[in-house]
Amino acid sequence: MGFMRTLDGGFIVVLFILGLLQGNYGQPRFPCDSRVIPNAAQVYPFCNRALPINVRVNDLIGRLNLKEKVQFLVDKAGAVPRLGIPSYEWWSEALHGVSDVGLGTHFGTPIPAATSFPQVILTAASFDTALWEAIGKACLSHSFIYVQAVSTEARAMYNVGLGGLTYWSPNVNIFRDPRWGRGQETPGEDPLLASKYAVSYVRGLQSTDGGDPNRLKVAACCKHYTAYDLDNWNQIDRFHFDARVSQQDLHDSYNPPFKACVTEGHVASVMCSYNKVNGIPTCADPVLLNGIVRGEWRLNGYIASDCDSADVIYNTQHFTSTPERTVADVMQAGLDLNCGNFLGYHTEAAVVIGKLKESVVDRALFNSFSVQMRLGLFDGNPAFQPYGKLGPMDVCTNEHRRLAARAAREGIVLLKNNNRALPFSPTHIRSLAVIGPNAAATNTMIGNYAGIPCRYITPLEGLSKETTTIYKPGCENVNCIWNPNLVKDAALAASQADATVIIVGADQSIEREMIDRVSLLLPGRQAQMVIETAKVSRGPVILVVMSGGPMDISFAKHYDKISSILWVGYPGQAGGKALADVIFGRHNPGGRLPVTWYPQDFAARVPMTDMNMRPNPATGYPGRTYRFYTGRAVYRFGDGLSYTTYSHSVVQAPKLVSLSMQTPHNNSCKGSLCTSVHVEHINCQEQLFDVHVDVDNQGSIDGGHAVLLFYSPPGGVQSGSPQRQLVGFKKVNVGAGGTEKVHFSVDVCKDLSVVDEMGVRKLALGSHLLHVGDAKHSFDIQIGDGF
């Protein structure tokens, strides 16, 4: 402790405050902490919780000079000791559990690990919105206990000084190309599925127990806006890539998940991406940021850059002439917070030389400080706030571990099951050969953007608890250089065991951030190892694919010696238990593929740089995703089998929907001459209808079943209309021999409209085909004018 004598003979405590701010006394420090500034709420209005947030924020900004303001524009925000404000690191990650990838979160004493849930692509395969929100924060319905998972663990780490409360998750980019290394982080290829996931997960992270929209438990961030889905392919990287995107694709494929994040999930932040879109870096595009995110969608929060996009704009893309011009461009476009240091280095100069108004800096600070206020970061010691009692005992709890196992089970997809080879019975399968480079996987199971898991349950460990196992890897690793001795050992084990489980696939050396795949085939000589092992097996062979992206496993799909195929994504810390539960019948698989599995020739002839979703018959371009792809698929979006049989029947749906139009309106439709109407001219709040579906379980096994409702617009009405489009999905548990009713509320304007070439949303008049699952359960709805 030290003191500084003032001119009037008094003392001010300087070194003591600095020591407290730096945590030199063994405990974390927080803004407005009464241990640093007694009666802080009375001394500084920005510390007074009773005042409106905008008043508090403006008071804080008004007390800062320009040098101090600038240091709050970067992720490693500086301290202001004179105001009792310690440094804060904005960058933390919680893609599928609290992670130490960002700079704001660290594992150690007293919290050495956190629950690691399945990678997002597998969680999305459950098609279960209640599960997604439960992982983020909230509750499990029916017989499941109430669980608070990622946001609870994040709060616990914040309370002990190991983490922040601003988490740059989730990743809601569309999984456009099967080679993308980061596709594993996303909810898949469908805009509705990605949107629903985004909203559920954001609500799970952010919602407080009291439901106050002005308060946040954790601040989420939807990234990477927009049209970002190429990292490093064929010597083209994300820093240099200019995504050429039509207005039609932008508004009906790439942007919908971000729009849902903001308008429905009320996310606290949106992150702009590295790439350019149509020649302009996203973080410097005023139309994308101020125009759409802040203006049209009305974001209540801050816009952050990917790390360090501002530097990339100047030094890599050479989009701007000077650092100060770069600062002016990105901040005037709407950027509030720079992950990295660029704004910290150059903003003051930009203001001084007149390139940027200080009021723009104040606007950025208002947006970011407001989020911190909503989190309670300026409310003092969290021990006296909501969630202040959370600590080490609330991390890696039994409830959270069970939720991680449930999430993995619900996402696993059964793709093949000839002669009902699965499920196994422990009384019949007394010995099991467990083969493959991912059979004993640990770190591979948790994918990227993961932390330190509570513990691993490997596939081998999970299966070994069911029966006697013989483990032979077959390959040294997923790159699988041919090793005759390893293959011989695997084949011998398969020839002696009652059944064989071969676990193949990828890992982060094959697909991850900055690594896009070239091939869709199993890496290395994995396929050959599988064939050599399967052809001598004594019993049924189960092929398990552990990967984030789709694989062309046509050889296994059509090979009779392989009885069953399971896709398990990257299943998280409890992946081995989940796999064993499925294989040995304690869980009836109900996952569905959230992305199309393309054949290898797609990768051979379609460049990853082509951003077009729609096919082009003139060039032979086949289009992308199930909505537009015209080629052959190995497996389709939504594919997934069960150990039982379900049937659907539509018990209620309208035959005619008569539109209610706004009056007066400038629509030019005149009777039969009109084929479509602009959505903006419809009274959309009145255009809802219900569809009721009965789901029958015709088998003898209980199961969870995802009911998918698709529609196809009238043919030939709108250029580039999707072949079919998901408009709703529900996950229901149906007992053996039982029936469950599923209700869909269809929003005509939102769900049945299409986007034209100019990005304008229109609703076609005429016969719309809706179908549950496949086209076998379809019905027509006639949409007509009401004017």
Side-chain angles (χ1 to χ4, degrees), residues 54-343:
N54 66 312
V55 173
R56 298 174 67 189
V57 171
N58 285 327
D59 176 74
L60 174 56
I61 294 172
R63 295 176 185 273
L64 302 174
N65 60 45
L66 181 58
K67 286 184 180 296
E68 291 169 333
K69 290 176 181 180
V70 166
Q71 67 180 342
F72 287 106
L73 297 175
V74 296
D75 65 287
K76 183 66 173 178
V80 183
R82 66 183 180 85
L83 298 178
I85 301 174
S87 176
Y88 178 79
E89 175 56 64
W90 284 83
W91 181 15
S92 293
E93 301 280 355
L95 182 67
H96 52 110
V98 177
S99 167
D100 57 353
V101 171
L103 300 177
T105 305
H106 309 277
F107 292 111
T109 305
I111 301 178
T115 310
S116 186
F117 294 93
Q119 184 60 289
V120 175
I121 193 70
L122 184 70
T123 303
S126 70
F127 282 80
D128 187 343
T129 55
L131 173 66
W132 303 336
E133 193 163 335
I135 292 172
K137 177 259 182 190
C139 65
L140 298 175
S141 58
H142 305 302
S143 61
F144 296 97
I145 62 173
Y146 282 78
V147 176
Q148 294 186 336
V150 177
S151 62
T152 291
E153 296 193 354
R155 274 281 175 176
M157 295 189 71
Y158 170 71
N159 290 344
V160 300
L162 291 177
L165 291 177
T166 46
Y167 282 81
W168 290 346
S169 305
N171 180 343
V172 298
N173 291 115
I174 293 297
F175 197 169
R176 171 189 63 98
D177 191 287
R179 294 162 286 192
W180 188 31
R182 301 190 73 175
Q184 61 181 289
E185 303 173 28
T186 77
E189 69 182 31
D190 179 72
L192 178 71
L193 177 63
S195 297
K196 294 283 189 183
Y197 179 88
V199 171
S200 296
Y201 198 69
V202 166
R203 287 175 177 170
L205 285 179
Q206 294 192 165
S207 298
T208 61
D209 294 336
D212 183 352
N214 289 318
R215 288 286 167 175
L216 300 168
K217 188 176 181 184
V218 168
C221 173
C222 287
K223 63 185 186 183
H224 312 80
Y225 178 75
T226 182
Y228 165 61
D229 51 16
L230 179 150
D231 266 68
N232 194 349
W233 177 82
N234 200 25
Q235 299 184 327
I236 300 170
D237 66 43
R238 59 187 178 176
F239 307 117
H240 297 86
F241 182 52
D242 183 5
R244 293 291 169 169
V245 182
S246 70
Q247 290 300 304
Q248 191 171 34
D249 284 339
L250 187 68
H251 291 288
D252 106 323
S253 290
Y254 295 111
N255 279 1
F258 295 98
K259 181 178 181 180
C261 270
V262 177
T263 62
E264 299 176 46
H266 306 294
V267 73
S269 175
V270 169
M271 176 182 286
C272 51
S273 55
Y274 289 115
N275 56 287
K276 297 177 184 178
V277 172
N278 299 327
I280 304 175
T282 64
C283 292
D285 192 329
V287 174
L288 290 178
L289 302 187
N290 278 335
I292 296 177
V293 176
R294 182 82 55 193
E296 182 182 335
W297 300 343
R298 304 182 68 80
L299 172 71
N300 178 20
Y302 67 98
I303 297 175
S305 75
D306 208 338
C307 309
D308 184 352
S309 291
D311 184 86
V312 168
I313 288 170
Y314 176 64
N315 285 310
T316 302
Q317 297 173 340
H318 306 297
F319 183 75
T320 48
S321 56
T322 66
E324 294 78 19
R325 182 71 264 166
T326 307
V327 169
D329 281 1
V330 297
M331 294 200 68
Q332 289 170 169
L335 188 70
D336 300 310
L337 186 74
N338 168 210
C339 178
N341 300 312
F342 196 88
L343 294 191

Side-chain angles (χ1 to χ4, degrees), residues 689-693 707-709 728-730 742-746:
F689 65 85
D690 294 332
V691 175
H692 293 271
V693 178
V707 185
L708 277 54
L709 180 65
F729 58 90
K730 295 285 180 69
V742 177
H743 165 248
F744 293 101
S745 179
V746 179

Side-chain angles (χ1 to χ4, degrees), residues 661-785:
M661 306 299 295
Q662 295 180 10
T663 54
H665 64 84
N666 60 358
N667 189 66
S668 60
C669 283
K670 297 294 182 183
S672 61
L673 298 178
C674 186
T675 59
S676 66
V677 294
H678 288 213
V679 165
E680 64 183 15
H681 298 149
I682 305 171
N683 288 320
C684 288
Q685 67 274 14
E686 300 178 10
Q687 303 300 160
L688 304 174
F689 65 85
D690 294 332
V691 175
H692 293 271
V693 178
D694 278 354
V695 182
D696 297 320
N697 183 340
Q698 299 176 330
S700 58
I701 302 175
D702 298 348
H705 180 59
V707 185
L708 277 54
L709 180 65
F710 295 91
Y711 102 103
S712 298
V717 171
Q718 178 61 58
S719 174
S721 295
Q723 301 169 118
R724 61 180 185 141
Q725 170 67 58
L726 185 69
V727 297
F729 58 90
K730 295 285 180 69
K731 188 74 170 278
V732 291
N733 293 306
V734 191
T739 299
E740 290 291 332
K741 297 184 181 299
V742 177
H743 165 248
F744 293 101
S745 179
V746 179
D747 183 327
V748 172
C749 292
K750 180 179 177 182
D751 297 329
L752 303 187
S753 60
V754 296
V755 175
D756 70 9
E757 294 91 337
M758 302 304 295
V760 176
R761 188 163 287 276
K762 295 179 178 179
L763 179 66
L765 302 180
S767 180
H768 292 247
L769 180 69
L770 280 82
H771 43 103
V772 180
D774 54 37
K776 291 186 296 185
H777 308 95
S778 60
F779 56 98
D780 286 316
I781 292 181
Q782 191 76 18
I783 299 207
D785 63 74

